[in-house]
Amino acid sequence: MKLYGYWRSTSSYRLRLALALKGLAFDQVPVHLVRGGGEHRSDAYRRINPQQRVPSLILDDGTVLTQSPAIIEYLEETFPLPPLLPADPIQRARIRAVAAIIGCDIHPLHNVGPLTHLRERFGASEDEIGRWVGHWIGEGLAAVEALIEDGHTYCFGPWPSLADVYLVPQVYAARRFGSALASLPKITRIVDYAEAQPLFRAAHPSQQPDAA
């Protein structure tokens, strides 16, 4: 498989984690989101992903999958062990809720496209951008803090789940944007532990071949 992604992209990071936790080998094809106006805007990449976003995953047979939530669902259905979702339907719903808060409510509001639009269309300053990002990350992670379980190594038990696959990259982004995490002790504990584990370390942005 080939993973087209960007080292600092939150959605690329979560897909790297899912692939690593599933024990699946893949080759990385870096797509720089800044250099030359953004390599994702090229005609060559548009032919791979019409939305011109990362990540994209090309399967062994040449099939192209896009959008990290859909790709991770495909991996869970096709390579069920080790599972990222438990058998219990209530617990599955709780884990999916945490993933949705991050993937639908937090991450899109600090993605490169919307932030560029705020700057170019509405003339937002970097200070205003920072306050915008801080507000939405803070509000979303406060909800996640309330929803994840206490007393476990990971969000919902002793093993990483879909919730952790989404949470760890989001906290990386929160730290990059300077968001305060002092009021989120469960999240901080879980992420600090996860980042020390070999599979999580290997997926970290700093360990990617295109890391700046």
Side-chain angles (χ1 to χ4, degrees), residues 46-158:
R46 184 187 289 111
R47 289 192 288 271
I48 294 170
N49 184 336
Q51 194 185 15
Q52 297 179 282
R53 298 284 181 91
V54 293
S56 300
L57 186 70
I58 299 185
L59 306 182
D60 293 342
D61 64 359
T63 300
V64 180
L65 301 179
T66 63
Q67 285 291 333
S68 63
I71 300 171
I72 294 171
E73 285 182 23
Y74 163 81
L75 296 176
E76 182 72 358
E77 293 166 356
T78 309
F79 306 97
L81 297 177
L84 296 176
L85 290 166
D88 179 69
I90 296 296
Q91 198 74 330
R92 290 166 74 94
R94 288 172 174 159
I95 290 171
R96 282 180 167 135
V98 167
I101 289 171
I102 294 168
C104 301
D105 296 338
I106 305 176
H107 173 232
L109 293 173
H110 67 70
N111 211 354
V112 63
L115 297 188
T116 298
H117 191 69
L118 286 174
R119 293 183 184 99
E120 295 179 354
R121 177 67 178 84
F122 298 104
S125 68
E126 291 308 307
D127 182 62
E128 290 169 327
I129 292 290
R131 291 200 302 272
W132 165 278
V133 170
H135 170 78
W136 295 115
I137 289 180
E139 184 177 88
L141 287 184
V144 171
E145 176 78 9
L147 290 172
I148 59 179
E149 296 179 349
D150 204 359
H152 294 304
T153 306
Y154 292 100
C155 289
F156 289 93

